[in-house]
Amino acid sequence: MLKLPKLTIGNIKLKNCLMLAPMAGITDLPLRQLAVDGGAGLVFTEMVSATAMVYGDKKTYKLLTTSDKEKNCVAAQIFGTKPEIMSECAKRVQDLGYKIIDINLGCPAKKITKVGAGSRLLANPKQVENVLSAVVKAVSVPVTIKTRIGLLQGQNVAPEIIEIAQNCGIKMVSLHARYAEFAHSGDPDLEAFALACEGAKIPIVANGGIVDIKTAEKFLKIKNCSGLMIGRGAIGNYDIFKQIEYFFDKGQMTPPSTIKTRLRWFRQHAIDSIQYYGKEKGLVVLRKIAPYYIKGLPNACSIRNSFNKITTLEEFDKIFKNLE
């Protein structure tokens, strides 16, 4: 039977090899804390603009707020294209107490790629090398990268990027097994992922389309797969980390999360969000997340419309008190 690999990133030994993927506008402090409660061994901040941080943008620094609950299992993800800016940003992140710094080489969003960052960097391997080398030399903590198998279907550049990363001193690569042109749609390309893992001398963590034990197992069967990174499959379903860990440890399935469990997560998210953002903004920022909690509920559309109008926890309870 398959077992979850043990995973060490540089000098950091994780409690397990299961991670929450960084997601822009989603993996803020309140959500990361829920993922830690759900069993994630490592969580990542939202993408942080290196340029914005170097120029002292207050909103950017807010993204890097951490809590005691996650302080030993959180990594900061940064993005940019200029080695000197990226290295300065990395120094500042390290000064904040982060023990792992991650570089984004995979985001397909137009606002990121139009400036040459994110997945667009995959078209310029030399610049990738320049950026990675600069960041690694600037800090003493382990540096990792998150990337894609390539920009366009059939153009698997991951083996080349992984080789560059190894040579630059990168300690782990999380690899989204979809091409950037497909964003988050379609099945992951397991063959391309396997090819990228073949010659790897550092941990390669699988990402893309992992939503349950079955999809997790497909990646774990691949030689040199060192762990799993879960994104949208974990939102509102934070027990997925414990469920996967228990299955590959004990060989037994745990009961699936119930609607009651999901609503309990949702209420805790609301409480934490209000505490983090304040009463006026706390529930407003959850509007983009709400569909993950509400899906499958009776009259889900109506519930979502009602949720989008509330501003207090009391109104939250009024909507959901009869659904459990």
Side-chain angles (χ1 to χ4, degrees), residues 152 240 285:
L152 303 175
I240 189 172
V285 299

Side-chain angles (χ1 to χ4, degrees), residues 68-83:
D68 289 341
K69 180 178 289 187
E70 64 168 6
K71 66 179 180 180
N72 293 319
C73 59
V74 61
Q77 188 184 73
I78 64 176
F79 76 91
T81 61
K82 297 180 179 179

Side-chain angles (χ1 to χ4, degrees), residues 13 24 30 52 74-75 89 101 107 171 189 228 256 262 276 299 309:
K13 185 177 181 180
V74 61
C89 174
I101 296 172
C107 180
K171 301 303 183 184
D189 189 333
L228 304 171
R262 201 192 318 159
Y276 182 61
N299 302 315
K309 299 174 184 177

Side-chain angles (χ1 to χ4, degrees), residues 83-321:
E84 64 277 14
I85 297 294
M86 289 288 282
S87 59
E88 177 60 28
C89 174
K91 290 177 185 178
R92 298 188 185 196
V93 170
Q94 179 177 255
D95 289 344
L96 291 175
Y98 278 89
K99 296 179 174 61
I100 298 174
I101 296 172
D102 186 69
I103 299 173
N104 185 294
L105 301 178
C107 180
K110 288 184 179 180
K111 67 179 181 179
I112 304 299
T113 59
K114 72 180 182 181
V115 296
S119 61
R120 192 62 199 167
L121 272 171
L122 297 180
N124 191 345
K126 182 59 180 176
Q127 189 65 3
V128 169
E129 181 180 1
N130 293 339
V131 168
L132 301 191
S133 294
V135 173
V136 170
K137 290 176 182 177
V139 296
S140 59
V141 299
V143 180
T144 64
I145 66 171
K146 187 175 190 298
T147 188
R148 294 259 180 167
I149 52 177
L151 284 169
L152 303 175
Q153 186 174 14
Q155 298 178 8
N156 184 4
V157 301
E160 179 185 7
I161 296 299
I162 290 171
E163 184 176 2
I164 291 172
Q166 293 172 168
N167 294 338
C168 290
I170 295 299
K171 301 303 183 184
M172 182 196 79
V173 174
S174 51
L175 181 57
H176 191 144
R178 294 187 181 103
Y179 293 95
E181 67 171 318
F182 299 133
H184 302 285
S185 63
D187 293 329
D189 189 333
L190 298 178
E191 290 185 6
F193 179 84
L195 182 62
C197 287
E198 279 186 6
K201 298 176 183 177
I202 56 177
I204 308 298
V205 172
N207 175 233
I210 302 171
V211 296
D212 53 23
I213 289 169
K214 183 178 179 181
T215 48
E217 191 171 32
K218 288 181 179 179
F219 277 111
L220 290 173
K221 287 180 177 179
I222 296 173
K223 185 178 179 181
N224 288 344
C225 176
S226 301
L228 304 171
M229 177 179 279
I230 305 172
R232 283 158 179 76
I235 304 173
N237 183 34
Y238 309 105
D239 284 330
I240 189 172
F241 300 104
K242 290 179 180 178
Q243 290 168 353
I244 290 174
E245 184 172 26
Y246 189 83
F247 178 80
F248 289 106
D249 182 39
K250 306 293 185 182
Q252 299 175 358
M253 301 283 287
T254 56
S257 298
T258 63
I259 288 177
K260 186 175 182 179
T261 300
R262 201 192 318 159
L263 291 179
R264 188 172 68 247
W265 285 119
F266 195 12
R267 191 176 191 278
Q268 186 60 52
H269 198 164
I271 292 171
D272 293 346
S273 188
I274 290 171
Q275 182 178 0
Y276 182 61
Y277 291 106
K279 290 184 178 180
E280 292 185 5
K281 189 178 177 182
L283 291 177
V284 173
V285 299
L286 285 187
R287 290 174 183 175
K288 71 174 78 174
I289 305 292
Y292 291 93
Y293 291 104
I294 295 170
K295 64 182 178 182
L297 296 179
N299 302 315
C301 185
S302 176
I303 293 170
R304 180 181 179 183
N305 289 337
S306 297
F307 178 79
N308 287 343
K309 299 174 184 177
I310 68 173
T311 56
T312 68
L313 192 61
E314 290 73 22
E315 292 173 318
F316 178 99
D317 288 336
K318 186 175 180 181
I319 293 175
F320 293 103
K321 68 179 180 179

